[in-house]
Amino acid sequence: MPGVFGTVCGGRKKKKKYKPESEVLEQEVQPVSSQGLKTFKKMGLSGDDDVNAMLCGSNLWKIRPGWHAARLYRLESDGMTVWYESQAKKARSKQIFSVLHIESVREGHQSEGLQKYGRRFPETCCFTIAFKGRRKNLDLAASSEKEALNWVQGLQKLMKRAEAMSQREKLVHWIWDYLRQADRDGDEKMTFQEVKDMLKMINIDLNDIYAYNLFKACDRSNTNTLEDHEIEEFCTKLMHRPEVEEIFHHYSGEDRVLSAEELQEFLQAQGEDATLERAKELIQKYELNETAKQHDLMMMEGFMMYLLSDDGDIFNQKHRMAYQDMTQPLCHYFISSSHNTYLTNHQLVGESSTESYIRVFMEGCRCVELDCWEGPSGEPVIYHGHTLTSKILFKDVVTTIRDYAFKNSPYPVILSLENHCGLEQQVKMANHLREILGDMLVTKPLPGADTARLPSPEALKGKFLLKGKKLNNRKSVEEEEGKPRMDTAKELSDLVVYCQTVEYRGQPGNVCEMSSFSEDKVRRLIKDSGINLVRYNARQLSRIYPDGLRANSSNYCPQEMWNAGCQLVALNFQTPGYTMDLNRGRFQDNGLCGYVLKPEFLRKEDSYFNPDSPSKEPKLLFVKVISAQQLPKLNKEKPNSIVDPFVRVEIHGVGKKKEKETKYILNNGFNPYWNEILQLEVQVPELALVRFVVEDYDKTSSNDFVGQYTLPFLSLKQGYRHVHLLSKDGASLSPATLFVQIRIEDL
């Protein structure tokens, strides 16, 4: 890697490599607009009956609590966007959704909404579109079973194809959509005014003279409009990445083509232990020119494809699978945990929903909360007691948990029971748990298990563990959340095996016993006796929950609790923000399975690690923030509103948060360029998270959030990398990226 970060400049003398005739090696790159128009051919779906039916459109019943109405839904010609008719006067951006944002499509009455409000429609005609992030489900009913099947199967085919799309294809789809929007008269020609409108849509404010000169340079027909290849040329010039081209030329030399040996050299400079075979493998995977591939050569477009791919991502792809040792005791793992799981938002007046359980499971959560209260007709209910939150049946929640808990992860799920029911309804709860969960519920110690340690996630695959009060335990308590103690039915107590709640006494106890702490109490423990808490967590489980005064379901920072080895650090998944960014960052490691192995010093029962004053070897992180690409427009209803972006890099770990930021770039969210180096110290790298944040600078008020990405420090890949940005609720902002260079040194 040239220099500290490398001033990439070509001109080195290189050995001559075999290259076919130059005209044969011309880039076979489909220009932007023609690529967009050929979406279906590339998908292999141009003659698909289901997709064709969606293109024609359907009048579907949209079902909501208390009402239903017929709306026209239609797949747009890009094959990636669904438009729908709306009664309200909304901007176009609010009347479409992308296939990329769909989490799943469920047939029949498989959503809470359809189970409650869609019974008047035949189940075979109903389906639900569930979205990523916090967007509500879309419950729909078709006029016939065949029409419903067209949409269900069509969407599933499009989702499968979208998942396989390269970043480059996503970019093509993105810009092609804006081209269609800017072509207001639909004549497939672009006037200069339409070009200016499109530039504002894609978040760039070009100088009028520069924009006009670019326009005229592409107007080869001299008609004052751009059409066909002229539009393609304009978009190609607009998306030119000189910073990537410079890197490519540095390694390719004067002939501007990378041999396998030169690509291997680049990969090794990236910090990868790359063989020549690995370089050839990447050429075969990403090079677009068939002639170049035959000769193990990579051209500029193939190099760009590689950098934008998973292989060029900042997150170590080996960590996208469950690669850690899963045979250690449960207490040796951080476990993704949810608080007030049933709530969709506010904990005083919000809605309770079984859908909330489905959403957290899709995010890898492995510990969910059931806040149980006396209900009518002898049926216990779940809601936030003594508030105006709505109520849902306990048995419906348990059924939902059974159906969705193991769709994304096979590892055990802990049911954190907050019990406020009388003995009679507790017996009912126990019966429901046994009948609904069956053999999946652990009701006795595993045969042959070591009683001196908790079982492992591997040994408990596909199992549910009940966390609650166990009769005859010393100082047994419910959750210590200010609620009165209540008697526990034996039938319910018998279901509690490995997660028996007791009062924390500061000394190790039975490994099956665990304690719960409010965020304030655990902070005091960390400050007063941090080493003792670390040792406790090396042997037993602990659960942390938010302060009861957080009526708006806000969250505390989980990092300081992880630093003390606390496993079940429960957060309000329904509330987006930087704290949930940290949680997602922590648990995207190890394949998003919900279990992340703690560092060795947090797994030793005689550990001397003090989270309040650590003494571990720090690292230096150098981040060269080079550029950003296609940042989202924050206010789509105001065409002249264009972001002034800057980048902040944060280190969350032991000690105070550290952060550095770039300068802001005026009026450019399309391709801002910084080329600034930020240097940060990282204490205890094994626990640290790195958060990349893009904000819109505002000198008169607080800056607006644009996008972010968080990952464990140990999952960082060094070298030139793209950072794929996420929204506030964790959904993809594709094709929005940062382009950075990463280097790590010992301090």
Side-chain angles (χ1 to χ4, degrees), residues 178 196-205 631-645 666-670 696-698 704 706:
Y178 282 110
K196 284 178 62 179
D197 291 343
M198 185 196 75
L199 291 174
K200 290 177 181 177
M201 288 177 189
I202 63 175
N203 225 348
I204 183 171
D205 185 16
L631 298 177
K633 192 175 181 69
L634 298 184
N635 194 337
K636 294 184 179 181
E637 281 67 58
K638 293 185 177 179
N640 293 322
S641 175
I642 296 173
V643 299
D644 304 329
L666 190 65
N667 286 339
N668 189 350
F670 183 74
D696 178 17
Y697 175 77
D698 193 321
D704 291 323
V706 175

Side-chain angles (χ1 to χ4, degrees), residues 317-350:
Q317 296 305 298
K318 293 178 182 178
H319 296 185
R320 293 208 185 276
M321 60 187 74
Y323 67 96
Q324 295 177 341
D325 177 8
M326 302 303 287
T327 63
Q328 300 201 28
L330 284 177
C331 54
H332 286 186
Y333 299 84
F334 297 124
I335 305 173
S336 181
S337 305
S338 164
H339 175 253
N340 287 351
T341 311
Y342 48 90
L343 288 179
T344 57
N345 42 57
H346 201 284
Q347 67 178 27
L348 295 183
V349 295

Side-chain angles (χ1 to χ4, degrees), residues 109 197 286 408 622 655 711:
H109 295 155
D197 291 343
Y286 296 110
N408 280 25
F622 296 90
L711 73 165

Side-chain angles (χ1 to χ4, degrees), residues 514-681:
M514 63 172 292
S515 298
S516 294
F517 308 93
S518 68
E519 57 177 289
D520 291 333
K521 182 174 181 179
V522 81
R523 287 192 190 102
R524 291 194 298 270
L525 280 173
I526 292 170
K527 185 174 180 61
D528 298 339
S529 54
I531 293 177
N532 284 345
L533 184 59
V534 167
R535 291 178 176 180
Y536 175 90
N537 286 325
R539 175 180 169 81
Q540 295 167 252
L541 291 170
S542 64
R543 180 178 183 268
I544 318 302
Y545 55 86
D547 188 276
L549 296 177
R550 294 181 179 272
N552 62 350
S553 295
S554 61
N555 282 311
Y556 55 87
C557 177
Q559 184 66 49
E560 53 191 323
M561 291 71 175
W562 290 327
N563 293 343
C566 300
Q567 303 90 353
L568 302 165
V569 183
L571 297 178
N572 291 301
F573 274 53
Q574 68 271 24
T575 307
Y578 91 93
T579 52
M580 275 305 298
D581 295 343
L582 299 184
N583 197 73
R584 291 190 185 97
R586 172 71 65 204
F587 290 105
Q588 72 168 313
D589 193 9
N590 204 30
L592 199 66
C593 75
Y595 285 80
V596 171
L597 189 64
K598 297 194 294 188
E600 186 180 12
F601 56 80
L602 291 180
R603 307 197 305 262
K604 293 181 176 179
E605 293 184 32
D606 60 351
S607 175
Y608 282 94
F609 179 76
N610 188 341
D612 204 41
S613 55
S615 56
K616 293 286 176 183
E617 295 181 1
K619 300 278 188 183
L620 272 181
L621 172 64
F622 296 90
V623 181
K624 180 192 263 189
V625 181
I626 302 172
S627 60
Q629 295 76 42
Q630 293 81 53
L631 298 177
K633 192 175 181 69
L634 298 184
N635 194 337
K636 294 184 179 181
E637 281 67 58
K638 293 185 177 179
N640 293 322
S641 175
I642 296 173
V643 299
D644 304 329
F646 69 93
V647 178
R648 183 171 65 251
V649 180
E650 305 170 351
I651 302 295
H652 297 261
V654 176
K656 291 183 178 179
K657 177 181 75 172
K658 297 178 177 64
E659 59 182 45
K660 294 284 182 67
E661 60 187 42
T662 67
K663 65 180 182 295
Y664 69 91
I665 303 294
L666 190 65
N667 286 339
N668 189 350
F670 183 74
N671 56 0
Y673 180 79
W674 293 277
N675 209 37
E676 293 185 41
I677 297 175
L678 309 179
Q679 177 181 328
L680 301 102
E681 184 178 323

Side-chain angles (χ1 to χ4, degrees), residues 31-34 37 179 187-190 218 225-235:
V32 170
S33 61
S34 63
L37 290 167
L179 280 167
D187 63 356
E188 298 186 0
K189 299 177 182 179
M190 301 288 287
C218 298
T225 61
L226 302 183
E227 49 190 293
D228 298 330
H229 296 296
E230 295 170 343
I231 297 176
E232 298 164 9
E233 184 182 356
F234 181 84
C235 291

